[in-house]
Amino acid sequence: MIKASRRMLGLLAATCALALAPLTPSAAAPNALDVSVFCENLGMRNNQGSFSCDAFASGGTGDYSYNWSAVQNATILENWGSYIYGSCAINQSARVNVVVTDNSGASVSKIGRVLCRKVAS
């Protein structure tokens, strides 16, 4: 008959516990909130320049909210969340800022730029 020491029994119990424990993946680090902005010159409308900008958010948690503001030579005329339409002075560089916030409260600010000019027809 084999005589088992307490140490051997302890090692055997620990080994069995590890073997039977469910394998749980470590919590994956959440993706950081990231934002990019694309602005496009739309040419002349109502005797002034016009533009549109789209914000694209990824990462973070849950839904996103978008807060746009005019920074330089721009007026925001319509705001649909991630998309805006605005006017600007011809032959001027217009800048807008968007702050995107996710459900956890994380936020990222990005500047969008566009050169307002007449579009050849």
Side-chain angles (χ1 to χ4, degrees):
M1 184 168 186
I2 299 176
K3 192 172 186 182
S5 70
R6 286 186 184 177
R7 183 173 182 200
M8 291 287 288
L9 289 175
L11 287 173
L12 179 61
T15 302
C16 288
L18 285 174
L20 297 175
L23 297 176
T24 55
S26 60
N31 292 333
L33 177 61
D34 188 38
V35 177
S36 58
V37 177
F38 173 75
C39 294
E40 179 179 24
N41 174 50
L42 299 176
M44 293 285 291
R45 305 250 168 113
N46 302 322
N47 295 321
Q48 56 188 340
S50 63
F51 68 93
S52 67
C53 293
D54 282 300
F56 301 94
S58 62
T61 57
D63 296 324
Y64 309 110
S65 64
Y66 301 84
N67 185 13
W68 292 90
S69 59
V71 176
Q72 178 184 28
N73 297 325
T75 301
I76 297 171
L77 301 173
E78 296 188 35
N79 183 338
W80 295 287
S82 65
Y83 174 84
I84 61 169
Y85 168 78
S87 64
C88 50
I90 290 295
N91 297 322
Q92 298 290 318
S93 178
R95 292 188 313 151
V96 294
N97 183 62
V98 63
V99 177
V100 178
T101 305
D102 70 7
N103 278 346
S104 73
S107 62
V108 172
S109 176
K110 289 288 178 152
I111 295 286
R113 294 177 176 82
V114 63
L115 176 60
C116 291
R117 62 192 188 324
K118 292 181 181 180
V119 175
S121 23

